Amino acid sequence: MDGSWFGFLAFLLVSVISVGGLIVAAKVLGVRARGKSLLKERTYECGEEAEGPAWIRFHPRYYLVALFFVLFDVEAAFFFPWAVAEKTLGWNGLASIALFTGVLLLGWWYAVKKDALRWQ
Amino acid sequence: MIFAASLAAAVVIVVLSATALALWYERKLAARMQTRIGPQFVGPIGLFQPVADLLKLVQKEEIVPMGADRVLFALAPPLTVIFALAAAAFVPLWPGVAVVRSDVGVLLVIGFGGLAMVPVWMAGWASFNKYALLGAMRAVAQSISYGVPLVLAAMVPVILAGTMDLDGITQFQATHHWFGLWPIIPGLPAFILFLLAMLAESNRIPFDIPEAESELVAGVTTEYTGMQFGFVYLAEYVHTVVGAAIGSVMFLGGWDGPFAPGLHWLLLKTLCLFTFIYWIRWTLVRLRADQLMTLCWKWLVPAGLGLVFLSAAWNQTGWSR
Amino acid sequence: MGYFVDTLNSIGATVRNFLRPPVTVNYPAVIRPRPERYHTSFALLHDAPGDELCIGCLACERICPSFVIEIKQAPKRESPVTGKKRGYVEAFTLNLTACIGCELCVQVCPTDALVMLRTPEKPAFCREDLILDVKRLYANEKEKQAAWATGSRLIEMQDPNVGQPKVEKKPAPVAAAPAPAVTPVAASTPAAAPAPVAAEPAAAASEPIKGAS
Amino acid sequence: MAVIEEPRSYFHPLYDVMLSTPGLSVGVAPLDRLLTWGLKNALWVFPMATSCCGIELMASAAARVDLDRMGTIMRASPRQSDVMVVAGTITVKMAPRVRRLWDQMPEPKWCIAMGSCAISGDFYRNLYPVVPGIDTFIPVDVYVPGCPPNPEALMHGLMRLQEKIGLQREGKLVPSEPRPDFDAMVRPPALSRIGDAARAADLSDRQEQAALTMCPDAAPGVVEDEEKGFAQPATQATPPLNTELVELLRDRFGVTEFPLNAPPVVSADKHLELAATLQKMGYRQFLFVAASHRPAKEGSEDLCEVAYGLRTVGAGTKEAIWQVRVPTNQTVPSLVPLFAGADWQEREQYDLVGVKFAGHPDLRRIMMSDDWVGHPLRRDYPADKECAPWR
């Protein structure tokens, strides 16, 4: 197991080196513009001067999606220990996890009926 | 130790060069599907096209837009590549050998897949560009939505094999049956679900609203020039290549195959899955944002839950032993 | 469900495309056959004995909607070939940068001196390279392939009596009328190739009618 | 044909270092060859397509002439593009945007002017809103002639660009020598030339004659060609007079003249009242506002005529059209308080003719750029004026 994680470190190291190599190559081989243009560094907005700051406010639907994700992903994380041990737990384990999922699905059904899952 | 290190280096280099080849392969494939020829003039049958692209991208001037968060802006593109690569470390290459053999391999792979969204968000935020920010917002929303069906689809092989070790799953498939083919009811739909969710995770067509060109110019990459853009471009392909490899490990038996199990089977299956993914990509049109979310939350999540229970029930019937 | 079926259909479509040979014409090596009347650049012509055809009448300059032609007339002098006194051009400048390719100048040319070319002009590195002067216009005559249209052919083509499918049953009185009566320009230049070539586009135009009937 | 090199707008810092280091200077040439090969074979296009040439640009990426064969793909963002293909007419208002997008492209970058409009402004080149060639504000590397050039021509243009990049590397480009004077080779076109003394003296007379021949009605003296028989223009049925409007104008607004071929003239101070009355009568749809300028002649001053049109909604629709005449420096009451639809149309008339509307909430230019001087549709506006406000 130790050697295995050493492998992962080596893996990360090699990928960082190869990506870093490309960065260095870009820095070394890249051209530089002769004059500095103010227009060049302006934010791209289809040739127009950008209006207002780019960090704009967002629709709350993104927030809803984030909440749903937290809910369902945490539940899914609870599934994993059961999933590994499923073979030994038998029908009993299946029934108990079904109860758990049933409650979850009730919530999902409520959300669907409330139209909370629609991208407004 | 030396073996592990050299294996790691080899995997990184192979994945990166395979990605370069995939760039060419995808352009050729797309061209043929549109009755075009595709890259042709650069090298024999256009084989050196990615090299020329790389050489050009390396030379381009780097521009940091005014008002951008310089540190995040510079850091995000390389991180996308590194995170996309990281999942490749867990792929079992041949019986008993992977760069990292972990008991929770499935969780880690999905975790690194999800982590790849962080630099995308960083890039969108740091660019100080509305298109980039909107693209990043959509990418993250889409990616975390499809994270749920991905986890559920990945749980099916875990339940069927009774282990979260990727090599263990492959060995189970080698001794029993490939999960993509048998049991056909939780297996094949789970495989399709996995592919769909993976496509959406890596923001490919038909799930590419984060960089819908007609709406958002180039999404998060709008402000990136030269090699910085090249990294994001590369990361997309790395993501797909690695995703295809993991899909073939979990559902198509990875290194398992007739005559001589080994690396070549893995590569062959990865290539087939990759072709299939790009086939889909160049066929289907883009889904609208609301269709995308509806598909995920109203159909794929309950379907995933159902598949999990079906596979558990399959285990209890005793037919798998 | 409909989406699913459509998805399968479209996947089938891409597979069929994949198996078809590509429609791409391998451009620099193979050049797609250009139609007879494909026209891009210009040339000035000589007649068979080798005299310049352009008489400097300014017709093309005046009709050009884009004002790209500029002619400087030379004083009238005797032609070395025929010995008759006629006009010549001293300078003929055609500004290809603003040409819209309407072919009106070719159409009005009374001597069929100005023609358009089927060989496209080379994209230039500077704007000045796209200005055709007399030298380049006469060089184009030798180097490049001329398009079908000349002044007299275009006028003959517009004559409703030329190239009509022959109706044998009832020879209409209109068809019996001699064609050149309505085409004074063509009549004044007998050097231009008459019926057989002129019949070509008209015959081509009549094809869809045949197919429809 | 001289190949002329503009001073390059970028430099390779690595080359400078290598050239100044004794041992390394040998490596510059092969390295440059490699890098140039990369540049040449991955020209990504930024499509700056504004009109019909844009269609050919799109076609060039499609299956028949597949630009992908030479490694050229289209990118939507200028940040990732190498070649800007300007395809279409660039107006004076568009030019600053093109310039900004050009500036936003990273070095090394090139520009292809595709089609006559981009090269020289084509036959719009002496018109007030059109830029006479994009090389007046951005450097152009390759000019692809045609109107529009077909997809193969664009591909040929890209190949010429590759050739140019190669020539640049080999140093075969002539360092910037005085260019041949384009203006000396081609005289400024059009309107000014008609009055040119060196031209045939009777040219304009003949043109006028030709115009009259085309329209026999206007010239009673022209003998009709018996054989060909000029088709008489169908006598236009005079539109039925809107008696409602006539009565209203005669009784309440003191209008006495009702010419058949022009709308009745209402004085400017009663114009708003008329519009309000008509609106109450059911003329609820705003049709148009159209202004024209009459330069001062002897006996009349500099005038603006502003015609307004309203319409009832529904079956049996009726139109009410009237005009207001004011001296050019005076104002016309705006109809925006009554009809919201008048907003942009009045702005347009203000922009192009220079009519000032009193009470308009937002009287700015709408078509011409904000810094434009003068009103181009006035009769006294110089039509063949050289215009280059972006300079």
Side-chain angles (χ1 to χ4, degrees), chain B residues 143-159:
Chain B
S143 169
I144 63 174
S145 296
Y146 277 84
V148 179
L150 186 74
V151 167
L152 293 176
M155 213 176 290
V156 170
V158 171
I159 291 173

Side-chain angles (χ1 to χ4, degrees), chain D residues 219-391:
Chain D
V222 174
V223 183
E224 250 184 57
D225 191 333
E226 296 248 324
E227 278 180 359
K228 288 184 183 167
F230 274 120
Q232 284 284 350
T235 41
Q236 263 194 321
T238 32
L241 212 60
N242 187 344
T243 48
E244 198 181 30
L245 178 71
V246 170
E247 278 163 22
L248 178 76
L249 287 174
R250 193 168 49 211
D251 301 344
R252 286 184 51 190
F253 294 89
V255 179
T256 50
E257 284 177 47
F258 293 96
L260 273 180
N261 52 359
V265 181
V266 177
S267 71
D269 49 340
K270 287 187 176 168
H271 147 73
L272 205 59
E273 192 193 333
L274 171 65
T277 315
L278 285 170
Q279 193 179 29
K280 275 181 206 131
M281 283 165 64
Y283 291 84
R284 293 211 313 273
Q285 188 186 4
F286 183 82
L287 267 187
F288 63 86
V289 46
S292 57
H293 173 236
R294 297 205 160 187
K297 282 183 183 167
E298 62 270 27
S300 73
E301 46 181 342
D302 209 32
L303 280 180
C304 276
E305 296 178 353
V306 187
Y308 277 94
L310 300 182
R311 190 158 73 178
T312 59
V313 184
T317 179
K318 286 176 287 185
E319 285 178 9
I321 299 171
W322 74 95
Q323 60 168 316
V324 184
R325 280 187 188 163
V326 289
T328 309
N329 50 5
Q330 284 184 21
T331 58
V332 178
S334 166
L335 283 200
V336 179
L338 295 174
F339 297 95
D343 189 346
W344 282 18
Q345 295 206 32
E346 284 184 352
R347 270 177 74 185
E348 184 183 342
Q349 299 309 321
Y350 162 73
D351 188 1
L352 298 177
V353 189
V355 188
K356 293 184 191 72
F357 292 94
H360 191 286
D362 182 29
L363 202 60
R364 284 182 295 125
R365 287 191 179 275
I366 186 169
M367 295 213 158
M368 315 308 297
S369 50
D370 290 332
D371 52 353
W372 191 274
V373 181
H375 302 282
L377 288 193
R378 282 204 182 180
R379 295 287 168 85
D380 52 4
Y381 189 83
D384 53 346
K385 190 178 141 190
E386 292 222 358
C387 50
W390 59 89
R391 68 186 160 219

Side-chain angles (χ1 to χ4, degrees), chain A residues 41-68:
Chain A
E41 297 185 353
R42 293 289 177 152
T43 319
Y44 168 80
E45 210 164 294
C46 303
E48 292 285 340
E49 182 66 38
E51 284 227 355
W55 294 323
I56 50 179
R57 293 194 288 174
F58 274 93
H59 199 281
R61 62 197 178 194
Y62 288 102
Y63 178 70
L64 268 184
V65 166
L67 281 185
F68 280 122

Side-chain angles (χ1 to χ4, degrees), chain B residues 28-29 32-38 40-41 206 276 279-280 282-287, chain C residues 3 6-7 10-15 17-28:
Chain B
K28 268 306 216 201
L29 199 70
R32 284 311 314 273
M33 283 179 184
Q34 298 162 358
T35 62
R36 296 188 284 124
I37 295 179
Q40 181 190 16
F41 296 163
F276 180 74
W279 183 6
I280 298 286
W282 289 101
T283 300
L284 297 187
V285 292
R286 182 181 302 138
L287 288 177
Chain C
Y3 185 82
D6 290 349
T7 306
S10 52
I11 286 177
T14 38
V15 171
N17 270 351
F18 189 85
L19 298 175
R20 265 206 310 238
V23 296
T24 309
V25 181
N26 201 343
Y27 167 60

Side-chain angles (χ1 to χ4, degrees), chain C residues 37 106-110 112 148-164 178-203 205:
Chain C
R37 293 193 60 188
V106 174
Q107 199 164 349
V108 297
C109 186
D112 291 353
W148 170 83
T150 62
S152 46
R153 278 182 194 172
L154 282 170
I155 282 173
E156 271 185 57
M157 186 187 81
Q158 288 166 19
D159 180 358
N161 303 328
V162 176
Q164 285 288 331
V182 209
T183 56
V185 182
S188 71
T189 54
V197 192
E200 222 176 83

Side-chain angles (χ1 to χ4, degrees), chain C residues 42-45 53-54 60 69 92 94 104-107 109 111-116 137 149-151:
Chain C
F42 289 89
L44 279 173
L45 301 185
L53 274 173
C54 180
C60 47
I69 301 177
F92 192 115
L94 203 152
L104 279 174
C105 47
V106 174
Q107 199 164 349
C109 186
T111 57
D112 291 353
L114 187 64
V115 293
M116 293 191 81
L137 284 167
T150 62

Side-chain angles (χ1 to χ4, degrees), chain B residues 252-276:
Chain B
L252 295 182
W255 42 255
D256 175 40
F259 315 123
L263 187 60
H264 50 281
W265 285 112
L266 178 68
L267 290 179
L268 190 69
K269 287 167 189 170
T270 306
L271 181 70
C272 290
L273 267 191
F274 183 85
T275 310
F276 180 74

